[in-house]
Amino acid sequence: MRPKKGARKAYHHGDLAQALLDAAERLLDEGGVGAVTVRAVAREAGVAHSAPANHFKDRAALLAALATRIFQELTTEVVTALGISSSSPRARLHAIADVIVQYALRHPHRYRLLWRGENFAADKSSAEIAGTVLYDAVKEILGGAGTETSIDSQVIAAWSLIHGYVSLRLEGTLVDGSDEVSGKSRAAAIVDVLIDGVGRSRC
Amino acid sequence: MRPKKGARKAYHHGDLAQALLDAAERLLDEGGVGAVTVRAVAREAGVAHSAPANHFKDRAALLAALATRIFQELTTEVVTALGISSSSPRARLHAIADVIVQYALRHPHRYRLLWRGENFAADKSSAEIAGTVLYDAVKEILGGAGTETSIDSQVIAAWSLIHGYVSLRLEGTLVDGSDEVSGKSRAAAIVDVLIDGVGRSRC
DNA sequence: CTCCAATATGGACAGTGTCCATATTCTCTA
DNA sequence: TAGAGAATATGGACACTGTCCATATTGGAG
């Protein structure tokens, strides 16, 4: 039977699933996804090497669950920031970009984990839900003007821009060493480029 | 001693290093980076499991070499496309985006390999060189107008946009199923968004 | 022709994911 | 309240992996 209510100190260990995810997150932060090994997670949680199998059928399933949890944390941070931010579309886009860039730089391994599609081969559902939340957030910011398709393109462009920038930063591909450019962060600068357009800002 | 000239049928096997990279690329295309195992590569190439050690000290080194080779292939395709493309900045940006998106969709595992920083822990050099080539290509397209920093932001924005879009497509995150939008590809559409700006196209 | 370094081989070891039979413990029901 | 069955945890096993090692082979420089 599954725990029906509180589920604290339930069964033998007491929510081992949660404890395993905690352990996995610790290992992830320290050594990257490669360090998140079924056996290492079990060791970290102080259980037998085969105990995780009762809660996650696979290493992939474990990583998927971890990614889902992280995705929700990130989504929450974004939503919170949007709650505080002013109502200007530019400010709101800056807020989103800022939260995501900061989170990714603070927890690089976590952010990387989010975008390994392999992890979601099992249950795309929860990741897709979180993704939809973020997508809709930007769509709302960009408002109702323009045709439906043009808005979709704008939303996709915004997400591509932010995610791409973070990826390049994390992988160290960006030769650009300066985070600051004329008083604002590089992230803010490229968001402005997207809003104002390359063509316009060059004239 | 190292082969000095032609290096064909050299030594015991005859450029085993190259054969190993061929085998690795085959395995990569079929089963993703996880399938590129030192032993599997050796099997595929028909040599002992420890033979690769003579040419690549690590699995990481093997992957790095493979990534470098793929990076050069992609770079070449981009440069070629730019040679054919018209001189309009918009057309040239479209050309770059198109080549990269098409390449990534055709060889998803190869594209993914390029952006795993782990692979370059050993020799960042060659990957950085290839990255610089692409970076400079966009920088040249965007021309000499504007301040230095604002140009850098524009180039970074362009690369972030393209790379981010490809990543989202590859990971299946984009709920967007339609590649085509009002006669042009989605990739072209978001490049146009970047050029014209979100603000402008909404007025 | 001889020798040496580059190259290839096979064995070994620790670590991994996953399956299995077994042991323990919780919860619901009879 | 007693027991039964399901959920949970354990330890062993297997095949696979990366990497090291001692050994064998080979090609070219001297």
Side-chain angles (χ1 to χ4, degrees):
Chain A
M1 294 272 174
R2 310 223 182 85
K4 278 179 182 172
K5 20 183 188 174
R8 60 172 61 183
K9 269 295 169 193
Y11 292 102
H12 305 180
H13 173 282
D15 238 346
L16 177 57
Q18 211 57 32
L20 289 173
L21 288 180
D22 291 341
E25 195 171 67
R26 242 172 291 142
L27 292 170
L28 175 69
D29 285 340
E30 287 169 13
V33 67
V36 183
T37 233
V38 174
R39 294 172 106 107
V41 169
R43 270 195 300 272
E44 180 83 7
V47 293
H49 69 268
S50 57
N54 290 311
H55 303 271
F56 308 99
K57 91 174 212 297
D58 261 336
R59 182 178 112 110
L62 203 174
L63 289 177
L66 181 57
T68 297
R69 181 208 241 195
I70 292 173
F71 221 135
Q72 285 166 345
E73 183 187 35
L74 176 57
T75 301
T76 300
E77 284 199 20
V78 169
V79 171
T80 300
L82 284 180
I84 299 172
S85 159
S86 77
S87 61
S88 139
R90 190 183 296 262
R92 293 177 81 73
L93 277 186
H94 279 177
I96 290 185
D98 190 56
V99 166
I100 295 187
V101 169
Q102 291 308 318
Y103 186 91
L105 293 182
R106 205 161 10 131
H107 307 295
H109 293 305
R110 296 189 198 175
Y111 190 86
R112 267 190 279 259
L113 176 68
L114 293 184
W115 306 104
R116 317 218 134 165
E118 314 111 64
N119 306 328
F120 301 101
D123 61 336
K124 289 210 171 203
S125 53
S126 42
E128 269 180 7
I129 291 172
T132 302
V133 169
L134 296 180
Y135 186 92
D136 290 344
V138 172
K139 191 163 186 172
E140 187 201 337
I141 291 172
L142 292 180
T147 70
E148 182 65 18
T149 56
S150 86
I151 283 210
D152 274 333
S153 287
Q154 290 177 24
V155 176
I156 294 176
W159 272 118
S160 298
L161 183 83
I162 295 174
H163 171 59
Y165 176 69
V166 172
S167 292
L168 295 180
R169 281 292 302 270
L170 287 189
E171 303 316 324
T173 308
L174 278 187
V175 275
D176 162 46
S178 63
D179 279 11
E180 296 286 329
V181 43
S182 43
K184 58 187 174 185
S185 72
R186 179 70 76 185
I190 67 172
V191 168
D192 282 338
V193 169
L194 181 75
I195 294 175
D196 297 328
V198 168
R200 173 184 279 181
S201 68
R202 281 179 63 228
C203 295
Chain B
M1 294 276 172
R2 309 223 184 83
K4 278 181 182 172
K5 23 184 187 174
R8 58 173 63 184
K9 270 296 170 191
Y11 291 101
H12 304 179
H13 174 282
D15 237 347
L16 178 57
Q18 210 58 32
L20 289 172
L21 287 180
D22 292 341
E25 195 171 65
R26 243 172 289 142
L27 292 170
L28 175 68
D29 286 339
E30 287 170 13
V33 67
V36 183
T37 232
V38 174
R39 293 172 105 107
V41 168
R43 270 194 299 271
E44 179 84 6
V47 293
H49 70 268
S50 58
N54 290 311
H55 302 272
F56 308 100
K57 92 174 212 297
D58 261 336
R59 182 178 112 109
L62 203 175
L63 289 177
L66 182 56
T68 297
R69 182 208 239 194
I70 292 173
F71 221 135
Q72 285 166 345
E73 183 186 35
L74 177 57
T75 301
T76 300
E77 285 199 21
V78 169
V79 170
T80 301
L82 284 180
I84 299 173
S85 158
S86 77
S87 61
S88 139
R90 189 183 297 263
R92 293 176 82 72
L93 276 186
H94 279 177
I96 290 185
D98 190 57
V99 166
I100 294 187
V101 169
Q102 291 308 317
Y103 186 92
L105 293 181
R106 204 159 11 130
H107 307 295
H109 293 304
R110 295 189 199 175
Y111 190 85
R112 268 190 277 260
L113 176 68
L114 293 185
W115 305 103
R116 316 218 136 166
E118 314 111 65
N119 306 328
F120 301 101
D123 63 335
K124 290 210 171 202
S125 53
S126 42
E128 270 181 5
I129 292 172
T132 302
V133 169
L134 297 179
Y135 187 92
D136 290 344
V138 172
K139 191 162 187 173
E140 185 199 338
I141 291 174
L142 292 181
T147 70
E148 183 64 18
T149 56
S150 86
I151 283 209
D152 274 333
S153 287
Q154 290 177 24
V155 176
I156 293 176
W159 271 118
S160 299
L161 183 84
I162 296 174
H163 171 59
Y165 176 70
V166 172
S167 292
L168 295 180
R169 282 293 301 271
L170 286 189
E171 303 316 324
T173 309
L174 277 186
V175 274
D176 161 47
S178 64
D179 279 11
E180 295 286 328
V181 42
S182 45
K184 59 186 174 185
S185 73
R186 179 69 76 185
I190 67 172
V191 168
D192 282 338
V193 169
L194 181 74
I195 294 176
D196 298 327
V198 168
R200 173 185 279 182
S201 69
R202 279 178 65 227
C203 295

PDB file of all heavy atoms in Angstrom, chain B residues 124-158:
ATOM      1  N   LYS B 124      40.738  22.650 -24.579  1.00  0.00           N
ATOM      2  CA  LYS B 124      39.752  23.633 -25.008  1.00  0.00           C
ATOM      3  C   LYS B 124      40.170  24.269 -26.333  1.00  0.00           C
ATOM      4  O   LYS B 124      39.356  24.777 -27.078  1.00  0.00           O
ATOM      5  CB  LYS B 124      39.620  24.738 -23.949  1.00  0.00           C
ATOM      6  CG  LYS B 124      38.962  24.290 -22.666  1.00  0.00           C
ATOM      7  CD  LYS B 124      38.210  25.461 -22.031  1.00  0.00           C
ATOM      8  CE  LYS B 124      37.365  24.975 -20.867  1.00  0.00           C
ATOM      9  NZ  LYS B 124      36.278  25.859 -20.526  1.00  0.00           N
ATOM     10  N   SER B 125      41.439  24.247 -26.587  1.00  0.00           N
ATOM     11  CA  SER B 125      42.013  25.008 -27.690  1.00  0.00           C
ATOM     12  C   SER B 125      41.232  24.906 -28.994  1.00  0.00           C
ATOM     13  O   SER B 125      40.663  25.894 -29.469  1.00  0.00           O
ATOM     14  CB  SER B 125      43.449  24.557 -27.909  1.00  0.00           C
ATOM     15  OG  SER B 125      43.474  23.146 -28.053  1.00  0.00           O
ATOM     16  N   SER B 126      41.175  23.712 -29.553  1.00  0.00           N
ATOM     17  CA  SER B 126      40.603  23.581 -30.891  1.00  0.00           C
ATOM     18  C   SER B 126      39.134  23.976 -30.923  1.00  0.00           C
ATOM     19  O   SER B 126      38.665  24.606 -31.878  1.00  0.00           O
ATOM     20  CB  SER B 126      40.781  22.162 -31.400  1.00  0.00           C
ATOM     21  OG  SER B 126      40.509  21.244 -30.365  1.00  0.00           O
ATOM     22  N   ALA B 127      38.404  23.627 -29.884  1.00  0.00           N
ATOM     23  CA  ALA B 127      37.001  24.006 -29.838  1.00  0.00           C
ATOM     24  C   ALA B 127      36.870  25.519 -29.760  1.00  0.00           C
ATOM     25  O   ALA B 127      36.015  26.118 -30.417  1.00  0.00           O
ATOM     26  CB  ALA B 127      36.321  23.356 -28.636  1.00  0.00           C
ATOM     27  N   GLU B 128      37.739  26.134 -28.989  1.00  0.00           N
ATOM     28  CA  GLU B 128      37.687  27.592 -28.869  1.00  0.00           C
ATOM     29  C   GLU B 128      38.003  28.261 -30.190  1.00  0.00           C
ATOM     30  O   GLU B 128      37.411  29.264 -30.551  1.00  0.00           O
ATOM     31  CB  GLU B 128      38.666  28.062 -27.796  1.00  0.00           C
ATOM     32  CG  GLU B 128      38.024  28.132 -26.416  1.00  0.00           C
ATOM     33  CD  GLU B 128      38.993  28.629 -25.366  1.00  0.00           C
ATOM     34  OE1 GLU B 128      40.114  29.008 -25.733  1.00  0.00           O
ATOM     35  OE2 GLU B 128      38.615  28.633 -24.183  1.00  0.00           O
ATOM     36  N   ILE B 129      38.941  27.668 -30.911  1.00  0.00           N
ATOM     37  CA  ILE B 129      39.285  28.233 -32.218  1.00  0.00           C
ATOM     38  C   ILE B 129      38.077  28.195 -33.141  1.00  0.00           C
ATOM     39  O   ILE B 129      37.705  29.187 -33.757  1.00  0.00           O
ATOM     40  CB  ILE B 129      40.469  27.476 -32.847  1.00  0.00           C
ATOM     41  CG1 ILE B 129      41.740  27.756 -32.039  1.00  0.00           C
ATOM     42  CG2 ILE B 129      40.656  27.872 -34.294  1.00  0.00           C
ATOM     43  CD1 ILE B 129      42.922  26.918 -32.454  1.00  0.00           C
ATOM     44  N   ALA B 130      37.440  27.028 -33.211  1.00  0.00           N
ATOM     45  CA  ALA B 130      36.266  26.899 -34.062  1.00  0.00           C
ATOM     46  C   ALA B 130      35.188  27.878 -33.617  1.00  0.00           C
ATOM     47  O   ALA B 130      34.543  28.543 -34.432  1.00  0.00           O
ATOM     48  CB  ALA B 130      35.746  25.462 -34.027  1.00  0.00           C
ATOM     49  N   GLY B 131      35.009  27.996 -32.305  1.00  0.00           N
ATOM     50  CA  GLY B 131      34.023  28.921 -31.792  1.00  0.00           C
ATOM     51  C   GLY B 131      34.327  30.342 -32.198  1.00  0.00           C
ATOM     52  O   GLY B 131      33.429  31.110 -32.562  1.00  0.00           O
ATOM     53  N   THR B 132      35.600  30.687 -32.171  1.00  0.00           N
ATOM     54  CA  THR B 132      36.000  32.036 -32.548  1.00  0.00           C
ATOM     55  C   THR B 132      35.688  32.307 -34.012  1.00  0.00           C
ATOM     56  O   THR B 132      35.242  33.404 -34.373  1.00  0.00           O
ATOM     57  CB  THR B 132      37.503  32.225 -32.293  1.00  0.00           C
ATOM     58  OG1 THR B 132      37.757  31.962 -30.915  1.00  0.00           O
ATOM     59  CG2 THR B 132      37.926  33.632 -32.629  1.00  0.00           C
ATOM     60  N   VAL B 133      35.909  31.315 -34.844  1.00  0.00           N
ATOM     61  CA  VAL B 133      35.612  31.480 -36.273  1.00  0.00           C
ATOM     62  C   VAL B 133      34.143  31.860 -36.464  1.00  0.00           C
ATOM     63  O   VAL B 133      33.806  32.809 -37.174  1.00  0.00           O
ATOM     64  CB  VAL B 133      35.911  30.183 -37.056  1.00  0.00           C
ATOM     65  CG1 VAL B 133      35.357  30.276 -38.475  1.00  0.00           C
ATOM     66  CG2 VAL B 133      37.407  29.926 -37.096  1.00  0.00           C
ATOM     67  N   LEU B 134      33.270  31.110 -35.796  1.00  0.00           N
ATOM     68  CA  LEU B 134      31.842  31.378 -35.944  1.00  0.00           C
ATOM     69  C   LEU B 134      31.488  32.752 -35.357  1.00  0.00           C
ATOM     70  O   LEU B 134      30.714  33.514 -35.940  1.00  0.00           O
ATOM     71  CB  LEU B 134      31.032  30.276 -35.257  1.00  0.00           C
ATOM     72  CG  LEU B 134      31.213  28.879 -35.857  1.00  0.00           C
ATOM     73  CD1 LEU B 134      30.382  27.856 -35.099  1.00  0.00           C
ATOM     74  CD2 LEU B 134      30.825  28.887 -37.333  1.00  0.00           C
ATOM     75  N   TYR B 135      32.059  33.030 -34.197  1.00  0.00           N
ATOM     76  CA  TYR B 135      31.787  34.308 -33.543  1.00  0.00           C
ATOM     77  C   TYR B 135      32.175  35.467 -34.462  1.00  0.00           C
ATOM     78  O   TYR B 135      31.398  36.388 -34.693  1.00  0.00           O
ATOM     79  CB  TYR B 135      32.571  34.383 -32.236  1.00  0.00           C
ATOM     80  CG  TYR B 135      32.251  35.589 -31.392  1.00  0.00           C
ATOM     81  CD1 TYR B 135      31.266  35.528 -30.414  1.00  0.00           C
ATOM     82  CD2 TYR B 135      32.935  36.789 -31.562  1.00  0.00           C
ATOM     83  CE1 TYR B 135      30.968  36.622 -29.624  1.00  0.00           C
ATOM     84  CE2 TYR B 135      32.643  37.893 -30.785  1.00  0.00           C
ATOM     85  CZ  TYR B 135      31.659  37.807 -29.809  1.00  0.00           C
ATOM     86  OH  TYR B 135      31.368  38.897 -29.047  1.00  0.00           O
ATOM     87  N   ASP B 136      33.360  35.378 -35.020  1.00  0.00           N
ATOM     88  CA  ASP B 136      33.829  36.454 -35.886  1.00  0.00           C
ATOM     89  C   ASP B 136      32.991  36.575 -37.149  1.00  0.00           C
ATOM     90  O   ASP B 136      32.792  37.675 -37.675  1.00  0.00           O
ATOM     91  CB  ASP B 136      35.304  36.225 -36.247  1.00  0.00           C
ATOM     92  CG  ASP B 136      36.208  36.442 -35.045  1.00  0.00           C
ATOM     93  OD1 ASP B 136      35.731  37.040 -34.061  1.00  0.00           O
ATOM     94  OD2 ASP B 136      37.370  35.998 -35.079  1.00  0.00           O
ATOM     95  N   ALA B 137      32.479  35.441 -37.626  1.00  0.00           N
ATOM     96  CA  ALA B 137      31.649  35.488 -38.828  1.00  0.00           C
ATOM     97  C   ALA B 137      30.427  36.361 -38.590  1.00  0.00           C
ATOM     98  O   ALA B 137      30.088  37.228 -39.417  1.00  0.00           O
ATOM     99  CB  ALA B 137      31.212  34.073 -39.217  1.00  0.00           C
ATOM    100  N   VAL B 138      29.786  36.156 -37.455  1.00  0.00           N
ATOM    101  CA  VAL B 138      28.599  36.963 -37.150  1.00  0.00           C
ATOM    102  C   VAL B 138      28.996  38.414 -36.905  1.00  0.00           C
ATOM    103  O   VAL B 138      28.319  39.343 -37.335  1.00  0.00           O
ATOM    104  CB  VAL B 138      27.859  36.393 -35.925  1.00  0.00           C
ATOM    105  CG1 VAL B 138      26.751  37.340 -35.496  1.00  0.00           C
ATOM    106  CG2 VAL B 138      27.280  35.037 -36.252  1.00  0.00           C
ATOM    107  N   LYS B 139      30.108  38.594 -36.239  1.00  0.00           N
ATOM    108  CA  LYS B 139      30.565  39.945 -35.938  1.00  0.00           C
ATOM    109  C   LYS B 139      30.793  40.735 -37.222  1.00  0.00           C
ATOM    110  O   LYS B 139      30.455  41.920 -37.315  1.00  0.00           O
ATOM    111  CB  LYS B 139      31.859  39.891 -35.118  1.00  0.00           C
ATOM    112  CG  LYS B 139      32.265  41.237 -34.527  1.00  0.00           C
ATOM    113  CD  LYS B 139      33.255  41.029 -33.395  1.00  0.00           C
ATOM    114  CE  LYS B 139      33.552  42.339 -32.680  1.00  0.00           C
ATOM    115  NZ  LYS B 139      34.382  42.135 -31.467  1.00  0.00           N
ATOM    116  N   GLU B 140      31.334  40.061 -38.222  1.00  0.00           N
ATOM    117  CA  GLU B 140      31.599  40.736 -39.493  1.00  0.00           C
ATOM    118  C   GLU B 140      30.283  41.116 -40.160  1.00  0.00           C
ATOM    119  O   GLU B 140      30.144  42.181 -40.742  1.00  0.00           O
ATOM    120  CB  GLU B 140      32.405  39.804 -40.398  1.00  0.00           C
ATOM    121  CG  GLU B 140      32.849  40.452 -41.696  1.00  0.00           C
ATOM    122  CD  GLU B 140      33.214  39.399 -42.728  1.00  0.00           C
ATOM    123  OE1 GLU B 140      33.511  38.260 -42.322  1.00  0.00           O
ATOM    124  OE2 GLU B 140      33.151  39.709 -43.933  1.00  0.00           O
ATOM    125  N   ILE B 141      29.307  40.212 -40.061  1.00  0.00           N
ATOM    126  CA  ILE B 141      28.012  40.479 -40.684  1.00  0.00           C
ATOM    127  C   ILE B 141      27.350  41.700 -40.069  1.00  0.00           C
ATOM    128  O   ILE B 141      26.763  42.530 -40.765  1.00  0.00           O
ATOM    129  CB  ILE B 141      27.091  39.250 -40.526  1.00  0.00           C
ATOM    130  CG1 ILE B 141      27.615  38.101 -41.386  1.00  0.00           C
ATOM    131  CG2 ILE B 141      25.658  39.596 -40.912  1.00  0.00           C
ATOM    132  CD1 ILE B 141      26.866  36.805 -41.182  1.00  0.00           C
ATOM    133  N   LEU B 142      27.458  41.784 -38.755  1.00  0.00           N
ATOM    134  CA  LEU B 142      26.776  42.888 -38.067  1.00  0.00           C
ATOM    135  C   LEU B 142      27.502  44.206 -38.265  1.00  0.00           C
ATOM    136  O   LEU B 142      27.013  45.256 -37.846  1.00  0.00           O
ATOM    137  CB  LEU B 142      26.636  42.560 -36.575  1.00  0.00           C
ATOM    138  CG  LEU B 142      25.668  41.404 -36.308  1.00  0.00           C
ATOM    139  CD1 LEU B 142      25.554  41.128 -34.828  1.00  0.00           C
ATOM    140  CD2 LEU B 142      24.296  41.713 -36.890  1.00  0.00           C
ATOM    141  N   GLY B 143      28.642  44.153 -38.897  1.00  0.00           N
ATOM    142  CA  GLY B 143      29.304  45.372 -39.344  1.00  0.00           C
ATOM    143  C   GLY B 143      29.926  46.214 -38.259  1.00  0.00           C
ATOM    144  O   GLY B 143      29.942  45.842 -37.086  1.00  0.00           O
ATOM    145  N   GLY B 144      30.448  47.360 -38.673  1.00  0.00           N
ATOM    146  CA  GLY B 144      31.244  48.182 -37.771  1.00  0.00           C
ATOM    147  C   GLY B 144      30.476  49.286 -37.064  1.00  0.00           C
ATOM    148  O   GLY B 144      31.055  50.042 -36.301  1.00  0.00           O
ATOM    149  N   ALA B 145      29.171  49.365 -37.292  1.00  0.00           N
ATOM    150  CA  ALA B 145      28.420  50.435 -36.642  1.00  0.00           C
ATOM    151  C   ALA B 145      28.280  50.179 -35.144  1.00  0.00           C
ATOM    152  O   ALA B 145      28.455  49.070 -34.676  1.00  0.00           O
ATOM    153  CB  ALA B 145      27.034  50.555 -37.270  1.00  0.00           C
ATOM    154  N   GLY B 146      27.954  51.209 -34.412  1.00  0.00           N
ATOM    155  CA  GLY B 146      27.725  51.075 -32.979  1.00  0.00           C
ATOM    156  C   GLY B 146      29.018  50.991 -32.199  1.00  0.00           C
ATOM    157  O   GLY B 146      30.104  50.871 -32.766  1.00  0.00           O
ATOM    158  N   THR B 147      28.911  51.067 -30.881  1.00  0.00           N
ATOM    159  CA  THR B 147      30.097  50.964 -30.049  1.00  0.00           C
ATOM    160  C   THR B 147      30.560  49.521 -29.994  1.00  0.00           C
ATOM    161  O   THR B 147      29.825  48.605 -30.350  1.00  0.00           O
ATOM    162  CB  THR B 147      29.784  51.433 -28.617  1.00  0.00           C
ATOM    163  OG1 THR B 147      28.926  50.463 -28.010  1.00  0.00           O
ATOM    164  CG2 THR B 147      29.075  52.770 -28.636  1.00  0.00           C
ATOM    165  N   GLU B 148      31.760  49.349 -29.534  1.00  0.00           N
ATOM    166  CA  GLU B 148      32.319  48.003 -29.476  1.00  0.00           C
ATOM    167  C   GLU B 148      31.462  47.091 -28.600  1.00  0.00           C
ATOM    168  O   GLU B 148      31.115  45.982 -28.989  1.00  0.00           O
ATOM    169  CB  GLU B 148      33.751  48.073 -28.924  1.00  0.00           C
ATOM    170  CG  GLU B 148      34.456  46.733 -28.878  1.00  0.00           C
ATOM    171  CD  GLU B 148      34.660  46.161 -30.281  1.00  0.00           C
ATOM    172  OE1 GLU B 148      34.570  46.935 -31.271  1.00  0.00           O
ATOM    173  OE2 GLU B 148      34.900  44.957 -30.381  1.00  0.00           O
ATOM    174  N   THR B 149      31.117  47.583 -27.422  1.00  0.00           N
ATOM    175  CA  THR B 149      30.356  46.732 -26.501  1.00  0.00           C
ATOM    176  C   THR B 149      28.972  46.413 -27.055  1.00  0.00           C
ATOM    177  O   THR B 149      28.488  45.311 -26.918  1.00  0.00           O
ATOM    178  CB  THR B 149      30.209  47.396 -25.126  1.00  0.00           C
ATOM    179  OG1 THR B 149      29.610  48.676 -25.313  1.00  0.00           O
ATOM    180  CG2 THR B 149      31.548  47.538 -24.452  1.00  0.00           C
ATOM    181  N   SER B 150      28.353  47.385 -27.688  1.00  0.00           N
ATOM    182  CA  SER B 150      27.011  47.107 -28.186  1.00  0.00           C
ATOM    183  C   SER B 150      27.070  46.076 -29.302  1.00  0.00           C
ATOM    184  O   SER B 150      26.181  45.249 -29.442  1.00  0.00           O
ATOM    185  CB  SER B 150      26.352  48.399 -28.679  1.00  0.00           C
ATOM    186  OG  SER B 150      26.686  48.660 -30.018  1.00  0.00           O
ATOM    187  N   ILE B 151      28.132  46.088 -30.083  1.00  0.00           N
ATOM    188  CA  ILE B 151      28.285  45.072 -31.120  1.00  0.00           C
ATOM    189  C   ILE B 151      28.480  43.695 -30.497  1.00  0.00           C
ATOM    190  O   ILE B 151      27.879  42.716 -30.923  1.00  0.00           O
ATOM    191  CB  ILE B 151      29.474  45.397 -32.054  1.00  0.00           C
ATOM    192  CG1 ILE B 151      29.059  46.495 -33.019  1.00  0.00           C
ATOM    193  CG2 ILE B 151      29.870  44.151 -32.833  1.00  0.00           C
ATOM    194  CD1 ILE B 151      29.773  46.445 -34.323  1.00  0.00           C
ATOM    195  N   ASP B 152      29.314  43.646 -29.485  1.00  0.00           N
ATOM    196  CA  ASP B 152      29.500  42.364 -28.820  1.00  0.00           C
ATOM    197  C   ASP B 152      28.175  41.826 -28.309  1.00  0.00           C
ATOM    198  O   ASP B 152      27.885  40.638 -28.439  1.00  0.00           O
ATOM    199  CB  ASP B 152      30.487  42.511 -27.662  1.00  0.00           C
ATOM    200  CG  ASP B 152      31.933  42.360 -28.124  1.00  0.00           C
ATOM    201  OD1 ASP B 152      32.140  41.664 -29.139  1.00  0.00           O
ATOM    202  OD2 ASP B 152      32.829  42.916 -27.492  1.00  0.00           O
ATOM    203  N   SER B 153      27.374  42.682 -27.736  1.00  0.00           N
ATOM    204  CA  SER B 153      26.084  42.233 -27.235  1.00  0.00           C
ATOM    205  C   SER B 153      25.223  41.712 -28.372  1.00  0.00           C
ATOM    206  O   SER B 153      24.492  40.723 -28.215  1.00  0.00           O
ATOM    207  CB  SER B 153      25.363  43.373 -26.504  1.00  0.00           C
ATOM    208  OG  SER B 153      25.985  43.614 -25.263  1.00  0.00           O
ATOM    209  N   GLN B 154      25.298  42.356 -29.515  1.00  0.00           N
ATOM    210  CA  GLN B 154      24.496  41.904 -30.647  1.00  0.00           C
ATOM    211  C   GLN B 154      24.974  40.544 -31.146  1.00  0.00           C
ATOM    212  O   GLN B 154      24.157  39.673 -31.470  1.00  0.00           O
ATOM    213  CB  GLN B 154      24.565  42.939 -31.777  1.00  0.00           C
ATOM    214  CG  GLN B 154      23.821  44.226 -31.447  1.00  0.00           C
ATOM    215  CD  GLN B 154      23.947  45.265 -32.541  1.00  0.00           C
ATOM    216  OE1 GLN B 154      24.193  44.927 -33.697  1.00  0.00           O
ATOM    217  NE2 GLN B 154      23.795  46.528 -32.177  1.00  0.00           N
ATOM    218  N   VAL B 155      26.272  40.383 -31.210  1.00  0.00           N
ATOM    219  CA  VAL B 155      26.803  39.090 -31.668  1.00  0.00           C
ATOM    220  C   VAL B 155      26.433  37.990 -30.681  1.00  0.00           C
ATOM    221  O   VAL B 155      25.976  36.902 -31.066  1.00  0.00           O
ATOM    222  CB  VAL B 155      28.334  39.161 -31.828  1.00  0.00           C
ATOM    223  CG1 VAL B 155      28.886  37.793 -32.199  1.00  0.00           C
ATOM    224  CG2 VAL B 155      28.708  40.192 -32.876  1.00  0.00           C
ATOM    225  N   ILE B 156      26.610  38.276 -29.407  1.00  0.00           N
ATOM    226  CA  ILE B 156      26.261  37.285 -28.384  1.00  0.00           C
ATOM    227  C   ILE B 156      24.775  36.978 -28.446  1.00  0.00           C
ATOM    228  O   ILE B 156      24.358  35.821 -28.320  1.00  0.00           O
ATOM    229  CB  ILE B 156      26.667  37.789 -26.985  1.00  0.00           C
ATOM    230  CG1 ILE B 156      28.187  37.875 -26.890  1.00  0.00           C
ATOM    231  CG2 ILE B 156      26.119  36.873 -25.904  1.00  0.00           C
ATOM    232  CD1 ILE B 156      28.692  38.459 -25.586  1.00  0.00           C
ATOM    233  N   ALA B 157      23.979  38.006 -28.661  1.00  0.00           N
ATOM    234  CA  ALA B 157      22.530  37.786 -28.757  1.00  0.00           C
ATOM    235  C   ALA B 157      22.225  36.863 -29.933  1.00  0.00           C
ATOM    236  O   ALA B 157      21.430  35.923 -29.809  1.00  0.00           O
ATOM    237  CB  ALA B 157      21.809  39.125 -28.902  1.00  0.00           C
ATOM    238  N   ALA B 158      22.862  37.107 -31.061  1.00  0.00           N
ATOM    239  CA  ALA B 158      22.599  36.289 -32.245  1.00  0.00           C
ATOM    240  C   ALA B 158      22.988  34.835 -32.002  1.00  0.00           C
ATOM    241  O   ALA B 158      22.224  33.904 -32.298  1.00  0.00           O
ATOM    242  CB  ALA B 158      23.364  36.848 -33.444  1.00  0.00           C
TER     243      ALA B 158
END
